[in-house]
Amino acid sequence: MDSKELRAKQAPLKKQYLKEPEAAEIALHAEGRLGEDLACNVETDIGIVESGLHPATGGDGTQACSGDMLLQALVACAGVTLNTVATAMGLELKDATIRAEGDLDFRGTLGVSKEAPVGFKRIQLIFDLDTDENPEKIDKLIELTERYCVVLQTLQNSPEITAEINR
């Protein structure tokens, strides 16, 4: 897809969202059901993902780790956003690899230390780009990718999260 095709696809949506802001507010959802051996089976658009304990918390590595899945969601969102922004800007990327690395102290999640945080202490998003574009354009590309990446922005600006119990 080129920038012209992208603009043509997005133009009616942008027009609608300007006229009807409420149409842009869409609730996404995820659902999981408890499985065997401490697993949670998460429904996705392409099938069930069986998530379980990371080996550092007693898992055997055969199930998806939710921490890895969070990083994978960040990489997926950043990659799609990077590709879309590059297309909109008319930039040529010969190739791009997006990686996310996160540091965890598993003492927190295992309750070994109350001083150790539960969750990531640090996440780094890394873009390896193969392009002949000038550095200023690449800096702008990354700036816009960071601005419009939903998962990155959600992690940086934590939303209100509530828990509800249905019995």
Side-chain angles (χ1 to χ4, degrees), residues 123-136:
I123 295 175
Q124 184 176 12
L125 187 59
I126 303 143
F127 297 92
D128 294 320
L129 305 179
D130 181 4
T131 182
D132 294 327
E133 299 289 349
N134 73 50
E136 293 81 22

Side-chain angles (χ1 to χ4, degrees), residues 84-137:
T84 303
V85 172
T87 299
M89 292 175 67
L91 301 181
E92 182 186 347
L93 298 177
K94 296 175 190 173
D95 195 15
T97 302
I98 301 89
R99 294 179 289 129
E101 298 174 358
D103 296 330
L104 283 166
D105 183 340
F106 283 100
R107 293 176 304 157
T109 194
L110 286 175
V112 172
S113 169
K114 290 186 180 193
E115 288 75 43
V118 177
F120 287 98
K121 294 190 294 185
R122 181 191 69 84
I123 295 175
Q124 184 176 12
L125 187 59
I126 303 143
F127 297 92
D128 294 320
L129 305 179
D130 181 4
T131 182
D132 294 327
E133 299 289 349
N134 73 50
E136 293 81 22
K137 287 184 178 180

Side-chain angles (χ1 to χ4, degrees), residues 1-162:
M1 181 179 304
D2 63 19
S3 62
K4 186 176 178 181
E5 291 171 300
L6 176 61
R7 282 187 176 82
K9 268 191 151 177
Q10 291 183 339
L13 294 169
K14 289 181 177 185
K15 184 177 180 181
Q16 178 188 12
Y17 298 159
L18 280 170
K19 290 176 90 172
E20 306 168 44
E22 66 280 358
E25 295 188 21
I26 298 170
L28 303 181
H29 72 279
E31 185 172 313
R33 178 169 232 127
L34 296 185
E36 300 293 318
D37 298 323
L38 306 178
C40 180
N41 297 316
V42 180
E43 295 181 32
T44 74
D45 291 339
I46 58 171
I48 300 289
V49 173
E50 184 181 63
S51 65
L53 293 173
H54 186 278
T57 62
D60 63 9
T62 61
Q63 299 164 318
C65 164
S66 55
D68 289 334
M69 292 169 70
L70 177 70
L71 297 178
Q72 291 159 359
L74 176 58
V75 164
C77 188
V80 169
T81 305
L82 176 81
N83 210 355
T84 303
V85 172
T87 299
M89 292 175 67
L91 301 181
E92 182 186 347
L93 298 177
K94 296 175 190 173
D95 195 15
T97 302
I98 301 89
R99 294 179 289 129
E101 298 174 358
D103 296 330
L104 283 166
D105 183 340
F106 283 100
R107 293 176 304 157
T109 194
L110 286 175
V112 172
S113 169
K114 290 186 180 193
E115 288 75 43
V118 177
F120 287 98
K121 294 190 294 185
R122 181 191 69 84
I123 295 175
Q124 184 176 12
L125 187 59
I126 303 143
F127 297 92
D128 294 320
L129 305 179
D130 181 4
T131 182
D132 294 327
E133 299 289 349
N134 73 50
E136 293 81 22
K137 287 184 178 180
I138 296 304
D139 289 345
K140 188 66 173 178
L141 170 64
I142 298 304
E143 175 191 326
L144 293 174
T145 297
E146 290 175 343
R147 181 185 308 161
Y148 296 118
C149 177
V150 171
V151 175
L152 177 61
Q153 287 300 316
T154 301
L155 290 170
Q156 289 178 333
N157 305 292
S158 300
E160 176 185 342
I161 299 175
T162 61

